[in-house]
Amino acid sequence: MSPPTAEGARTPRVALLPSAGMGHLTPFLRLAAVLAARGCDVTLITPHPVVSAAEARHIAAFLASASPRVRSLEFRLLPFDAASATSTDPFFLQFEAIRRSAHLLGPLLASACPALSAVVTDVSLISAVAPVVAAVGLPNYVIFTSSAAMLALCVAFPSASASLGGAADTFEVPGLAALPINWLPQPLRDPGNLFTTQFVENGRELTRVDGIMINTWDALEGETLAALNAGAVAHLPPVIPVGPLPPVKPRSIPGIPWLDDQPERSVVYVSFGSRTALSAEQIRELGAGLEKSGCRFLWAAKSKKVDKEDDGVVLEELLGDDGFLRRMEGRGLVVKDWVDQDAVLAHPAVGGFLCHCGWNSVTEAAIHGVRVLAWPRHGDQRLNAWVVERGGLGTWPTEWSWEGDAELVSGEEIARRVRELVGSPDASDAAAPVGEEAVRAAEACGSSRKALDELIEKWGRQLGTRSDGMRRP
């Protein structure tokens, strides 16, 4: 149902520009679906080529079933020599390829997207895209694809990063207080890293956009959102919580019948997201831990950052060819194919989620009130794990290693924590209030729904004003 249209307003027309990786693409697809359902015309600008097969599949499936209000516009990237950038991460390199092609967006927006109300850009691209959008005279908004806590860090980092070179073991972020240095994304400790350059440039540009949309909600991160909007971190435009954005239901991903045969709230779902790959040694310790826990489990296993490189990996080789799959038959299921994570978390058999704390995974767990055992691996995930624990959604063993650390988390430790995760009805019920608050935020009259409706109404009024001005002699 569309929101009421103010007098003089017109149908908002919004262009969305995501970047690379499922963690960045997913909130854009969800926002596109929500905006279309709320009466907006949406143009999804899709950079090509993409990094992962999952991105290509999800874009195609989304467009095949999307509202007629959603259209796609292909953005062909210029050839990019990866050797010219100081990173080997395929996703950071894709961010840079899109940024270096940003000047091509001006003619694309002017010719293919007439009468736009706004352009909504991924935060990882904003410093390169903002001048292009400004040149064609359009309002420019950002989707920040992580937590409000990470947004506070992103905005504070450009001016405070000089302190990283000293002896301090904490990093001051207004609105969050002091963070341990080892909670920061690993590349930020290297000023020459490509990601650090992008992070600093984008953090500075966030103060100059028209608004920042973020997939969170007041009940989960109210303190941090209030600090951001009060100017405690920097003089920002409005930070607009629009979460939790509901998942777009895929039609092409089959369900998992195995779950239907398991007792209620007995299964631990194990997944580290679309671009997190554990070492072979840690994968085997994880397998040993799940076996020793005695708990039922569904494990979405992955060994490569980019899913196209994972295709030839055999499960027996990945898990250690010692009969693990045979021993776990009936009690545990290991899959390598893409799963519908939202459907898994919604299933009554699932009682806990061993999770890397990618932000989309956190919001999906919250929607369904599934308790999280946080094991952050890289990037924003330690800050997100802090939000998980602080908000009552789960627990975070802060001593567990992450990408680049030499230490392994032992099978015995994993087993103990997994048993705690689903060991009693009280443990499984602990996250239920978080789920109730998340659902209320997104419902009619909820805080996030109202914030989004107000923004849509604003876009409609602005478009009407600009169009009236264009018709005057």
Side-chain angles (χ1 to χ4, degrees):
M1 179 176 158
S2 301
T5 303
E7 186 176 351
R10 302 181 65 185
T11 299
R13 296 174 180 170
V14 186
L16 307 182
L17 176 61
S19 63
M22 289 299 298
H24 290 260
L25 175 65
T26 295
F28 273 84
L29 299 184
R30 293 176 179 178
L31 181 62
V34 169
L35 291 177
R38 306 300 289 155
C40 299
D41 291 334
V42 178
T43 298
L44 182 67
I45 302 174
T46 53
H48 286 273
V50 296
V51 176
S52 73
E55 291 172 77
R57 287 194 305 268
H58 277 69
I59 291 170
F62 172 75
L63 293 173
S65 59
S67 160
R69 288 187 175 275
V70 179
R71 63 186 289 257
S72 175
L73 181 63
E74 195 170 281
F75 174 26
R76 281 281 164 192
L77 304 180
L78 295 172
F80 171 59
D81 180 8
S84 66
T86 55
S87 177
T88 58
D89 187 293
F91 294 93
F92 297 165
L93 294 174
Q94 180 77 340
F95 294 168
E96 189 65 12
I98 299 171
R99 286 158 57 90
R100 293 190 188 187
S101 300
H103 61 283
L104 302 177
L105 281 169
L108 198 65
L109 291 169
S111 65
C113 306
L116 280 173
S117 309
V119 177
V120 181
T121 306
D122 189 287
V123 63
S124 64
L125 310 175
I126 191 61
S127 63
V129 171
V132 177
V133 176
V136 295
L138 290 170
N140 197 3
Y141 287 75
V142 164
I143 292 185
F144 194 83
T145 54
S146 186
S147 58
M150 188 65 186
L151 173 57
L153 172 62
C154 185
V155 175
F157 190 81
S159 58
S161 56
S163 65
L164 287 177
D169 57 2
T170 60
F171 184 84
E172 294 290 334
V173 177
L176 294 183
L179 302 177
I181 291 288
N182 69 355
W183 287 18
L184 302 186
Q186 299 97 319
L188 293 185
R189 295 172 227 168
D190 174 8
N193 189 283
L194 175 63
F195 176 78
T196 305
T197 301
Q198 295 169 350
F199 195 79
V200 169
E201 291 177 357
N202 292 325
R204 288 177 177 146
E205 192 61 38
L206 284 173
T207 62
R208 295 191 282 268
V209 299
D210 294 283
I212 302 169
M213 305 167 73
I214 185 166
N215 186 20
T216 193
W217 55 100
D218 286 336
L220 184 65
E221 292 193 274
E223 258 185 68
T224 307
L225 288 166
L228 289 165
N229 278 314
V233 184
H235 183 63
L236 290 174
V239 177
I240 307 158
V242 296
L245 293 169
V248 178
K249 294 298 182 184
R251 293 181 178 177
S252 57
I253 300 176
I256 300 177
W258 179 84
L259 279 175
D260 298 336
D261 298 328
Q262 308 310 314
E264 187 173 343
R265 291 188 299 183
S266 67
V267 175
V268 177
Y269 173 52
V270 182
S271 174
F272 293 91
S274 59
R275 61 157 298 182
T276 301
L278 301 176
S279 69
E281 295 81 7
Q282 188 62 78
I283 286 173
R284 285 160 195 176
E285 285 296 320
L286 174 54
L290 293 172
E291 182 172 2
K292 291 173 183 176
S293 74
C295 299
R296 292 174 170 84
F297 62 87
L298 169 62
W299 179 7
K302 192 172 187 299
S303 64
K304 304 290 183 182
K305 280 187 177 180
V306 181
D307 55 3
K308 288 181 285 191
E309 298 169 358
D310 211 29
D311 288 343
V313 177
V314 178
L315 271 178
E316 286 79 3
E317 296 174 359
L318 180 62
L319 302 173
D321 194 7
D322 64 351
F324 174 80
L325 291 174
R326 175 181 47 76
R327 294 193 305 275
M328 293 299 97
E329 190 171 346
R331 178 161 76 83
L333 179 66
V334 185
V335 296
K336 233 169 100 309
D337 296 328
W338 190 274
V339 300
D340 181 353
Q341 179 164 285
D342 180 65
V344 169
L345 292 170
H347 199 286
V350 173
F353 185 12
L354 174 51
C355 170
H356 64 307
C357 285
W359 191 243
N360 292 321
S361 292
V362 170
T363 61
E364 289 165 10
I367 289 170
H368 298 295
V370 175
R371 192 163 181 252
V372 168
L373 172 56
W375 189 356
R377 301 300 302 159
H378 60 79
D380 60 348
Q381 293 165 12
R382 282 192 165 171
L383 267 181
N384 296 346
W386 174 76
V387 173
V388 162
E389 188 160 69
R390 190 182 192 212
L393 184 59
T395 58
W396 172 28
T398 55
E399 71 278 9
W400 282 16
S401 61
W402 72 338
E403 192 173 284
D405 291 347
E407 300 86 0
L408 293 176
V409 180
S410 71
E412 288 79 6
E413 170 69 3
I414 293 167
R416 181 176 70 83
R417 293 286 189 169
V418 167
R419 282 193 296 268
E420 291 174 357
L421 182 65
V422 291
S424 70
D426 289 345
S428 294
D429 287 341
V434 181
E436 292 163 5
E437 291 166 345
V439 170
R440 276 197 295 270
E443 286 178 337
C445 299
S447 58
S448 293
R449 172 70 73 86
K450 289 197 297 188
L452 183 58
D453 281 351
E454 287 169 5
L455 180 59
I456 292 170
E457 188 176 326
K458 177 181 178 179
W459 286 339
R461 286 197 310 269
Q462 289 176 333
L463 183 58
T465 301
R466 288 206 305 274
S467 299
D468 289 346
M470 290 171 65
R471 286 197 298 268
R472 293 188 187 107

